[in-house]
């Protein structure tokens, strides 16, 4: 199943090479790959989330479609706002890691900063119950994101 998911992800990303947005019909995509529409849903949920730098809109009825939008590459307040909304009041370690990787790929933070951020939010960072870890992780990650974006705006990308 992972191989099919990788193939679907590569296909969608290839469509998006020239455009920052693509509209797809879930059923047609499933038919093209010979899989169930739920497999397309899985790829969209796990590979094209806000954490990975994408917004996904789903329209039902009248044939319906899925719109995938690549968030802007420039570090701006809209991206920060979308990331903070995604973090919310609670975030698990895997989602936090994907979000950190996304902003590192966008060069908003350095690889060393990404390592520090991952260390601060990893599963073993605190000896607390899981629900408390997720809440504290969200607060710490939100604070680090705000500082990283402030550093970018001020031109201090090397200092966090």
């Amino acid at each position: 199943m992972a191989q099919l998911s990788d193939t679907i992800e590569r296909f969608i990303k290839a469509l998006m090479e020239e455009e920052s947005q693509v509209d797809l019909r879930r059923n047609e995509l499933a038919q093209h790959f010979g899989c169930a529409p739920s497999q397309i849903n899985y790829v969209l949920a796990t590979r094209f989330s806000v954490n990975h730098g994408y917004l996904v809109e789903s329209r039902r009825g009248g044939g319906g479609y899925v719109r995938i939008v690549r968030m802007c590459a420039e570090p701006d307040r809209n991206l920060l706002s979308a990331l903070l909304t995604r973090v919310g009041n609670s975030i698990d370690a895997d989602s936090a890691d994907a979000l950190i990787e996304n902003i590192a790929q966008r060069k908003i933070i350095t690889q060393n900063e990404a390592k520090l951020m991952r260390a601060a939010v990893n599963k073993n960072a605190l000896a607390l119950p899981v629900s408390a870890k997720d809440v504290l992780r969200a607060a710490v990650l939100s604070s680090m994101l705000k500082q990283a974006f402030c550093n970018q705006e001020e031109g201090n990308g090397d200092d966090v």
Side-chain angles (χ1 to χ4, degrees):
M1 176 144 82
Q3 191 174 21
L4 178 59
S5 295
D6 293 340
T7 303
I8 295 168
E9 176 187 15
R10 282 192 302 272
F11 178 82
I12 294 172
K13 285 184 175 178
L15 292 174
M16 295 186 76
E17 280 183 5
E18 295 179 17
E19 301 291 328
S20 63
Q21 171 181 310
V22 65
D23 290 346
L24 304 168
R25 295 199 182 278
R26 188 181 349 256
N27 289 337
E28 289 176 9
L29 202 55
Q31 190 174 31
H32 175 78
F33 287 102
C35 65
S38 61
Q39 180 69 32
I40 304 302
N41 290 343
Y42 171 79
V43 172
L44 294 175
T46 60
R47 313 286 176 95
F48 293 92
S49 66
V50 171
N51 297 346
H52 294 95
Y54 298 92
L55 297 174
V56 178
E57 296 176 20
S58 185
R59 301 275 189 221
R60 301 199 189 283
Y65 69 90
V66 175
R67 174 174 289 152
I68 305 168
V69 180
R70 185 181 319 114
M71 288 193 268
C72 61
E74 294 295 318
D76 65 15
R77 291 292 172 192
N78 291 334
L79 176 56
L80 176 59
S81 177
L83 293 173
L84 292 174
T85 298
R86 170 56 193 97
V87 171
N89 295 325
S90 176
I91 188 168
D92 63 78
D94 292 335
S95 296
D97 187 54
L99 191 145
I100 292 166
E101 179 60 27
N102 177 290
I103 63 173
Q105 287 178 354
R106 292 170 181 270
K107 308 277 190 239
I108 294 170
I109 59 172
T110 66
Q111 286 301 319
N112 283 338
E113 291 166 343
K115 288 176 187 176
L116 290 170
M117 290 175 78
R118 282 189 195 97
V121 300
N122 78 30
K123 293 175 184 173
N124 300 317
L126 298 169
L128 294 170
V130 173
S131 60
K133 281 184 182 184
D134 290 351
V135 171
L136 184 56
R137 181 180 297 115
V140 169
L141 185 57
S142 293
S143 180
M144 289 188 292
L145 286 170
K146 290 173 189 173
Q147 185 62 53
F149 276 76
C150 284
N151 290 352
Q152 274 290 13
E153 286 177 1
E154 294 170 4
N156 299 328
D158 296 333
D159 301 329
V160 170

